[in-house]
Amino acid sequence: MIIVTGCSGFIGFHLSKELLNNNLPVLGIDNLISSQNILKNWRLEQLKNYGINFIDVDITNKAELNKKIRDINFSGNFSTIYHLAGLAGVRQSVLEPKKYYNNNVMGTINMLNIATEFSLESFVFASSSSVYGLQDNRIPFVENETLESPQSPYAFSKLFAELISKDYSNISSLNVSLLRFFTVYGPAGRIDMSILKFIHNIINENPINIYGDGFQERDFTYVEDICEGIIKSSRVDGFETFNLGSSQPYSIIKVLSILKEIINKEPKIEYLPKHYADVNYTWANIDKAKSLLKWHPKTSLENGLEKTVDWYKNNKDLLASTFEKFN
Ligand SMILES: NC(=O)c1ccc[n+]([C@@H]2O[C@H](COP(=O)([O-])OP(=O)(O)OC[C@H]3O[C@@H](n4cnc5c(N)ncnc54)[C@H](O)[C@@H]3O)[C@@H](O)[C@H]2O)c1
């Protein structure tokens, strides 16, 4: 059986669905305490229809985590942990650093201990492009760069968790893949992230807040492409780090102009000062994932945004109540 932590989250939902669709049994782990719970419960209900085994537990609570995993009635072996559970959100982490460090570092240590105690083959960790921090020259980020300038507690928490995961691969036979995701978007996405917020606000003719001049660039990556990369990375032997990104950065202004065409409504933009924890650009060099994983992103930004807008339109009521609760 495969363990997916953060299964009710955005990427965990898509990953679990893909695994279950391929008839692979999944033990999903999540805690359901969040302002985005309506959407998380919706994702979980879908996964239950696909046959997920689910444990509602906080992974920072080691005793309860171990007990609940041991209590499930399962006679086979666990093979892989896809560890996606974590507190995401760069700006929020500046307000609550301790919470982010506890969740993202201690939670990861607990999952690494589960992996070694249950003799799993592989551990795949959801890290982030944020670990690259501020970069002076506008060139793609490469995995073997020395990382000296993460810009937020979130970025540091991911970097610490990466280093600890690497150490576990040294001291045990666990295969570890660290995946640095670049701005993932798509259907059933997070409403605290730009794309769904933009879609919601354009459709509902609400103002859109842009921090800075809007020319900051992100390497937006479609969620199904990310899931393909995640699954492929679990077959890697030893320890490796991979960037998973589209390798084609777009500015926020450009994204809004594409959404304007798709939705056929003018966005109402309101400019706010740039947040210091926001970096100017992210851009993945994906040569390593292409050569070792035989992975490349297949979805263009235009196509991915169209699919996301379609999903929004088909789930308008769900989104309306999720946004209402969130704001
Ligand atoms: N979405 C992106 O663009 C992106 C980019 C880089 C990295 N990541 C990382 O990928 C992972 C998944 O991201 P996402 O966008 O799906 O985020 P998400 O917030 O939608 O999902 C994370 C899930 O983890 C769960 N979780 C958090 N803390 C937990 C705990 N202590 N115990 C149990 N469950 C817990 C949450 O309830 C949530 O459902 C995160 O670790 C995130 O940092 C995401």
Side-chain angles (χ1 to χ4, degrees):
M1 190 179 302
I2 292 163
I3 297 180
V4 178
T5 71
C7 67
S8 311
F10 166 41
I11 305 173
F13 160 69
H14 284 276
L15 176 68
S16 302
K17 203 167 81 169
E18 181 62 20
L19 295 165
L20 292 161
N21 264 334
N22 285 301
N23 294 323
L24 295 165
V26 174
L27 173 64
I29 296 178
D30 210 302
N31 65 342
L32 292 167
I33 308 159
S34 151
S35 51
Q36 297 195 35
N37 254 5
I38 298 175
L39 190 48
K40 282 196 200 178
N41 283 325
W42 179 87
R43 296 188 191 112
L44 186 57
E45 283 315 304
Q46 312 274 313
L47 293 178
K48 284 184 177 165
N49 293 336
Y50 283 89
I52 197 167
N53 297 279
F54 177 67
I55 299 180
D56 182 356
V57 67
D58 181 335
I59 58 163
T60 63
N61 185 338
K62 174 91 166 82
E64 205 184 328
L65 175 67
N66 278 35
K67 182 178 180 315
K68 287 199 172 176
I69 290 187
R70 286 185 199 284
D71 280 355
I72 67 160
N73 198 3
F74 169 62
S75 55
N77 293 328
F78 295 110
S79 55
T80 299
I81 292 180
Y82 293 105
H83 176 42
L84 276 61
L87 291 180
V90 168
R91 288 181 208 134
Q92 191 59 27
S93 76
V94 176
L95 303 174
E96 302 179 286
K98 191 175 163 201
K99 195 169 154 192
Y100 273 69
Y101 286 124
N102 184 42
N103 215 304
N104 294 354
V105 180
M106 287 315 298
T108 302
I109 293 174
N110 288 344
M111 292 315 303
L112 283 162
N113 280 326
I114 296 282
T116 49
E117 282 163 27
F118 285 80
S119 305
L120 268 76
E121 286 155 29
S122 53
F123 185 84
V124 177
F125 173 59
S127 186
S128 163
S129 61
S130 305
V131 297
Y132 292 107
L134 286 181
Q135 304 276 333
D136 292 334
N137 307 314
R138 194 184 168 285
I139 48 171
F141 307 161
V142 186
E143 290 89 344
N144 59 8
E145 269 171 46
T146 309
L147 301 173
E148 288 169 343
S149 55
Q151 284 295 292
S152 63
Y154 169 70
F156 273 109
S157 73
K158 289 291 178 184
L159 188 54
F160 294 148
E162 280 195 3
L163 293 170
I164 295 164
S165 304
K166 182 176 185 185
D167 188 48
Y168 270 73
S169 83
N170 291 334
I171 59 174
S172 70
S173 58
L174 188 64
N175 297 313
V176 172
S177 289
L178 306 179
L179 306 180
R180 295 177 180 158
F181 300 155
F182 284 68
T183 320
V184 189
Y185 73 98
R190 277 179 22 217
I191 61 160
D192 61 311
M193 289 186 73
S194 56
I195 300 288
L196 264 188
K197 261 200 274 190
F198 289 168
I199 294 171
H200 176 75
N201 288 331
I202 296 174
I203 287 180
N204 293 290
E205 300 177 12
N206 300 329
I208 290 175
N209 292 335
I210 301 276
Y211 296 88
D213 60 11
F215 287 97
Q216 63 270 44
E217 294 179 331
R218 292 291 177 270
D219 202 350
F220 294 97
T221 315
Y222 192 63
V223 67
E224 283 177 13
D225 287 332
I226 287 286
C227 289
E228 191 196 338
I230 298 175
I231 293 169
K232 286 188 164 172
S233 74
S234 68
R235 299 173 201 137
V236 167
D237 279 339
F239 169 81
E240 296 291 350
T241 305
F242 295 99
N243 287 337
L244 293 184
S246 65
S247 201
Q248 253 196 313
Y250 279 80
S251 72
I252 300 295
I253 291 292
K254 180 68 186 166
V255 168
L256 283 169
S257 81
I258 299 172
L259 285 174
K260 176 186 153 188
E261 294 303 314
I262 296 172
I263 298 169
N264 200 19
K265 270 190 187 180
E266 190 74 41
K268 295 180 185 169
I269 302 176
E270 286 182 1
Y271 290 95
L272 295 171
K274 178 181 177 300
H275 192 287
Y276 88 92
D278 282 341
V279 294
N280 291 334
Y281 79 98
T282 62
W283 186 2
N285 174 315
I286 51 172
D287 291 350
K288 189 172 170 187
K290 278 183 178 166
S291 87
L292 285 193
L293 300 179
K294 309 287 173 235
W295 174 85
H296 66 275
K298 301 188 178 79
T299 314
S300 69
L301 184 63
E302 286 78 1
N303 192 230
L305 288 177
E306 271 170 20
K307 290 184 189 181
T308 312
V309 170
D310 281 351
W311 179 83
Y312 179 97
K313 288 182 173 167
N314 290 331
N315 293 279
K316 242 177 152 177
D317 293 345
L318 170 76
L319 270 305
S321 42
T322 309
F323 272 102
E324 195 183 329
K325 195 102 189 195
F326 183 66
N327 289 328

